[in-house]
Amino acid sequence: MSSSDAPHSVPPAAAPPGGIVVLRADGVGLVLDTGGGTLPRVLHWGADPGPLDPSDTEALRLALRPQAIGFSIDEAVEVSVLPEQSAGWLGTPGLVGHRAGGTDFSTAFRTRSVAVDAAPDGNGGGTVTVRAGDPVAELDLELTLRLTPEGLVCMRGTLTNTGDTDFVLEALHLALPVPAEAVELLDFTGRHLRERGPQRTAFTHGLRVRENRTGRTGYDSVYLLAAGTAGFGHRTGEVYALHTGWSGNLRTFAERTFHSISLLGSGELLLSGEGILAPGASYTTPWRFASHGIGLDEVSSRFHRWMRARPHHPSRPRPVVVNTWEAVYFDHDLDRLRALADAAAGIGAERFVLDDGWFGGRRDDRRALGDWYVSEEVWPDGLGPLIDHVTRLGMEFGLWVEPEMVNEDSGLARAHPDWIMSTGGRLPGPARHQQVLDLTRPEAFDHILGRLDALLNEYPIAYLKWDHNRDLVEAGRPPTGRAGTHAQTLATYRLMDELRRRHPALEIEACSSGGGRVDLGVLERTDRVWASDCIDALERQEIQRWTNALIPLELMGSHVGSELCHTTDRRHPLDFRAGTALFGHFGVEWDLTAASPAERERLAEWVTLYKETRDLLHTGTTVHADHPDPALRLHGVVARDGSRALYALVAVASSEQYPPGPVRLPGLEPDARYRVRPQPPGDVPDGNADRWGRPLPWWTPEGVVLTGRALERVGVRAPVLFPERLVLLRADRLDHGED
């Protein structure tokens, strides 16, 4: 039972002298005590403690050893990365399981070997591999802990049953300690059309557990679990954050006890029977990723830089997308879609995606899901005429699919009702008129793989929008009906991986009723996520900001919709819609044939700006100002070399301040001088100044020149804006002597 591929795997080397391992990278330190024969304990995770020689590490171990008093055993209780009751820990156990009759429910692992592969200078991260066993419980454990060059901690474990009877694994949690100063928690909740809403709670004594049982990452995924100093913000406060790279069921927790122990931990939430390990069988956890920084921006930056360093990370400029869904829905007509493609090419689009409705008898969402054959009724000559037209216009062609699902009213379901996930005695209640296809069944897997492979071989399809539109309810595996969410998640990964192996140039977007599957597990095999089915620009300001807390902008689909938003019935001007979509993987989801010539011309200006700045937006560092006025938001991207930046000043509501005060521009080089000026086409401050006041004095094409330090600590005066409007500011570093 395996959960995901290793990120940036490194072969292990020699064991550490003295049992203490010090890994340092990019301002982060991870100090592990692997001595004493027990599982590794984290002496420190956080800000880099600097070089530590053997005497320093021994002193640190002594200085941090707890007093043996008031605990559950006479010895001092030190919690490992897999907490064990045998060590005196009576909080959430790292391993939950047993053999027949309830035996071997508590483990006492003893380390057999420790191997370390670290940078020679001790300041480039490294990997620690610990192999341990419990001969009484007849279990082996391998733990991998890695500090990447970006300062990101990656952890996972593999449990192997070495006995001659089944071991029933119920949970395998890994945890990291955080200091007493982390007194506040941030995690996320949400729903369809409003994903990843932040929520804060005090980090007090007790256990805060977030569980996801939807079979996919979920709208209300905890996403990031962050603990930090009181009132931590984007640029302030010490923050420790955890993410689990898994697209199925998950448990995440924060626990603080009166023993001065505080942990952030997680593990896959295994359903009944999913963790039965036969003799010789193994279970591997998903990867956990942990980031430390001063403020949430630094925490996010570590995730972003690590992802961008992956060998399979998208490297070419992210193309401008036009998606047909909100333009035509199921009304597929060749002439209409050709006209839409013409309009898309006219505004500078580079990829044209045909959404739901192209296959079988699919005229609405009630039927034909699973019948992955081009509809002869709608497309009598196949998709070739449309694809030829799109490619002649210089655009790539993309296609919507939902391979994991099936309508009961479909040829596939009628031919193979036993391929539908169920408890064995009944079908789950339908959701969106569909059921879940059991991809763990080899015949079903091979059929779907064959159909998708055939489409990709027949047509020049560069891109699949891969949807997943329902939760996994009673997701059993026929004919036994045993729980199958874990195996289904792995089967989906294998299906994506095999398609990418056969079609290396193929790009895949992960969509799940909008933003219901956004995690680092699915992003190991996809090139973009769809953040939400809501493309209302005001809602997207919040959704995109918090999606970007984990993933970089180039992986986040962000579209310009029509003036009247289809999901909120709210109206927004074009500049607000386009300026919001700019900070992501830019696209359009709007019937451009119904747009006026002036609207298309203005949209083309925004497309041009995106093309001119995507190298900055998709490689730079995302920053957010901690602005005191809740009506105003300022976010932006600063080039990694500090040479330039692009900021958006957004009015999300009406302000108590009139006119507004200064806003600070974070992230620039303190001693460099920058020219700050409005950035067309986002240079029109749509407010009351033209009616009842005078223009902002510095708001000119020449702008103003200040140091990066002054811009971050003092700022520039913000223009008056109507609610639900934005403007763009650019900052360009000046050469010495330039004014």
Side-chain angles (χ1 to χ4, degrees):
M1 301 170 68
S2 176
S3 292
S4 67
D5 297 329
H8 309 297
S9 58
V10 179
I20 297 183
V21 181
V22 180
L23 302 177
R24 301 165 55 224
D26 196 40
V28 172
L30 179 65
V31 182
L32 298 172
D33 184 355
T34 66
T38 60
L39 294 178
R41 286 85 61 207
V42 176
L43 296 180
H44 171 75
W45 166 49
D48 186 353
L52 298 173
D53 63 27
S55 63
D56 293 328
T57 58
E58 286 298 329
L60 188 65
R61 175 158 53 189
L62 177 63
L64 294 176
R65 186 166 175 78
Q67 189 173 1
I69 185 171
F71 288 97
S72 49
I73 59 175
D74 287 340
E75 296 297 321
V77 176
E78 296 181 280
V79 181
S80 73
V81 295
L82 189 143
E84 293 183 284
Q85 192 170 116
S86 59
W89 170 248
L90 294 179
T92 301
L95 191 153
V96 182
H98 60 88
R99 294 192 186 273
T103 62
D104 299 326
F105 72 94
S106 180
T107 58
F109 284 107
R110 304 298 293 177
T111 295
R112 293 170 177 161
S113 68
V114 178
V116 181
D117 190 339
D121 61 0
N123 196 24
T127 299
V128 180
T129 304
V130 176
R131 293 182 174 89
D134 182 338
V136 175
E138 296 182 299
L139 295 170
D140 282 354
L141 178 68
E142 180 176 298
L143 295 172
T144 302
L145 296 96
R146 181 169 302 137
L147 183 65
T148 75
E150 299 79 18
L152 200 66
V153 176
C154 307
M155 304 191 305
R156 76 169 176 182
T158 297
L159 182 73
T160 301
N161 178 13
T162 60
D164 55 9
T165 61
D166 289 351
F167 184 82
V168 180
L169 176 66
E170 298 175 11
L172 192 62
H173 301 126
L174 299 181
L176 283 171
V178 295
E181 287 80 2
V183 296
E184 192 172 308
L185 295 172
L186 167 70
D187 61 12
F188 295 86
T189 185
R191 59 168 174 83
H192 183 226
L193 307 178
R194 204 176 188 279
E195 296 87 341
R196 284 170 294 286
Q199 54 185 13
R200 292 193 185 229
T201 55
F203 194 179
T204 56
H205 286 177
L207 176 66
R208 176 172 171 80
V209 181
R210 296 287 308 281
E211 290 188 345
N212 167 45
R213 298 175 182 270
T214 65
R216 51 180 170 172
T217 316
Y219 306 125
D220 62 342
S221 160
V222 68
Y223 200 53
L224 282 178
L225 174 60
T229 51
F232 66 87
H234 297 108
R235 312 293 298 177
T236 60
E238 194 167 12
V239 185
Y240 305 78
L242 177 72
H243 171 82
T244 305
W246 180 242
S247 308
N249 292 338
L250 188 65
R251 179 184 293 112
T252 307
F253 62 89
E255 187 163 16
R256 171 160 279 164
T257 76
F258 65 84
H259 300 305
S260 300
I261 297 171
S262 303
L263 300 175
L264 301 181
S266 70
E268 182 185 0
L269 195 159
L270 294 167
L271 299 180
S272 298
E274 286 191 317
I276 296 177
L277 299 182
S282 297
Y283 167 80
T284 299
T285 72
W287 282 99
R288 278 73 157 185
F289 302 87
S291 181
H292 168 268
I294 302 301
L296 289 164
D297 280 355
E298 187 173 17
V299 165
S300 299
S301 175
R302 297 194 191 281
F303 284 110
H304 298 172
R305 288 185 285 118
W306 176 81
M307 295 190 75
R308 287 168 175 167
R310 300 173 305 163
H312 56 281
H313 191 76
S315 57
R316 68 186 181 102
R318 311 313 297 137
V320 176
V321 175
V322 166
N323 183 282
T324 66
W325 180 240
E326 288 197 4
V328 303
Y329 291 103
F330 289 103
D331 186 13
H332 286 200
D333 174 82
L334 178 57
D335 290 338
R336 183 179 183 186
L337 288 166
R338 278 174 171 163
L340 182 59
D342 291 339
I347 59 114
E350 298 160 306
R351 176 179 286 162
F352 186 87
V353 180
L354 183 65
D355 214 286
D356 195 359
W358 57 268
F359 53 93
R362 185 78 162 177
R363 306 286 78 79
D364 53 42
D365 67 355
R366 296 173 178 267
R367 71 205 74 191
L369 199 60
D371 298 340
W372 301 113
Y373 299 86
V374 177
S375 172
E376 295 181 357
E377 175 189 350
V378 179
W379 301 99
D381 298 316
L383 295 176
L386 176 62
I387 295 176
D388 290 345
H389 188 76
V390 166
T391 55
R392 278 197 300 269
L393 291 169
M395 295 183 289
E396 298 174 351
F397 183 80
L399 197 63
W400 178 94
V401 294
E402 192 173 0
E404 300 153 78
M405 302 295 162
V406 61
N407 287 130
E408 292 180 50
D409 184 5
S410 67
L412 182 63
R414 284 186 286 272
H416 301 286
D418 52 330
W419 291 6
I420 297 175
M421 297 196 83
S422 70
T423 59
R426 63 182 179 276
L427 283 181
R432 205 171 182 247
H433 315 289
Q434 64 193 51
Q435 298 286 358
V436 182
L437 193 65
D438 183 8
L439 292 179
T440 70
R441 192 180 186 105
E443 312 95 287
F445 183 97
D446 292 343
H447 173 78
I448 295 299
L449 174 61
R451 289 310 312 141
L452 296 179
D453 187 44
L455 285 165
L456 294 170
N457 284 326
E458 182 177 359
Y459 298 111
I461 298 169
Y463 179 84
L464 290 179
K465 179 181 176 182
W466 189 300
D467 216 335
H468 178 286
N469 275 314
R470 71 157 294 170
D471 294 333
L472 273 62
V473 178
E474 294 192 308
R477 300 168 63 185
T480 64
R482 289 181 60 177
T485 300
H486 170 85
Q488 179 78 357
T489 305
L490 293 179
T492 300
Y493 286 169
R494 288 197 305 273
L495 182 58
M496 291 179 174
D497 291 343
E498 180 59 19
L499 278 175
R500 295 293 292 266
R501 188 192 68 80
R502 296 185 185 189
H503 305 275
L506 177 70
E507 292 193 4
I508 298 176
E509 174 183 22
C511 176
S512 186
S513 311
R517 184 156 64 186
V518 180
D519 62 80
L520 297 188
V522 77
L523 275 166
E524 275 299 293
R525 54 265 307 161
T526 58
D527 306 275
R528 165 174 137 142
V529 294
W530 184 227
S532 178
D533 280 343
C534 179
I535 51 177
D536 177 307
L538 181 63
E539 300 291 338
R540 274 295 187 124
Q541 284 289 331
E542 187 84 347
I543 292 168
Q544 291 177 192
R545 184 274 165 270
W546 293 111
T547 302
N548 182 230
L550 176 67
I551 67 168
L553 295 178
E554 64 269 23
L555 301 184
M556 180 176 64
S558 180
H559 289 179
V560 181
S562 60
E563 180 186 18
L564 179 66
C565 179
H566 293 202
T567 57
T568 64
D569 211 36
R570 187 185 278 139
R571 293 184 183 274
H572 286 130
L574 176 55
D575 285 356
F576 185 59
R577 285 139 53 205
T580 299
L582 181 71
F583 290 86
H585 182 179
F586 187 92
V588 178
E589 197 163 327
W590 173 17
D591 185 0
L592 294 174
T593 64
S596 69
E599 287 177 315
R600 290 199 294 270
E601 182 178 351
R602 185 64 169 176
L603 181 57
E605 293 179 37
W606 282 97
V607 170
T608 297
L609 176 64
Y610 170 75
K611 292 178 179 178
E612 290 174 349
T613 58
R614 59 187 164 189
D615 63 324
L616 165 65
L617 296 170
H618 298 165
T619 63
T621 301
T622 304
V623 294
H624 302 80
D626 288 313
H627 194 63
D629 188 345
L632 287 180
R633 309 277 177 84
L634 185 131
H635 66 90
V637 179
V638 180
R640 291 299 308 277
D641 65 0
S643 61
R644 56 183 176 140
L646 182 67
Y647 299 96
L649 176 64
V650 187
V652 297
S654 59
S655 175
E656 295 178 352
Q657 315 302 321
Y658 189 76
V663 291
R664 299 176 179 180
L665 306 184
L668 302 172
E669 291 183 359
D671 296 323
R673 298 179 69 79
Y674 291 87
R675 182 179 299 280
V676 180
R677 50 190 161 172
Q679 170 62 64
D683 58 342
V684 181
D686 191 0
N688 284 322
D690 292 339
R691 303 180 189 180
W692 301 320
R694 296 179 180 178
L696 187 64
W698 77 268
W699 197 265
T700 67
E702 293 75 30
V704 64
V705 175
L706 288 166
T707 64
R709 182 177 287 104
L711 289 166
E712 179 151 21
R713 296 183 179 179
V714 181
V716 296
R717 180 75 63 171
V720 174
L721 294 173
F722 286 132
E724 299 169 32
R725 304 291 195 275
L726 62 73
V727 288
L728 301 181
L729 296 75
R730 63 179 295 171
D732 295 285
R733 187 176 60 200
L734 303 180
D735 294 332
H736 292 294
E738 185 180 356
D739 195 357

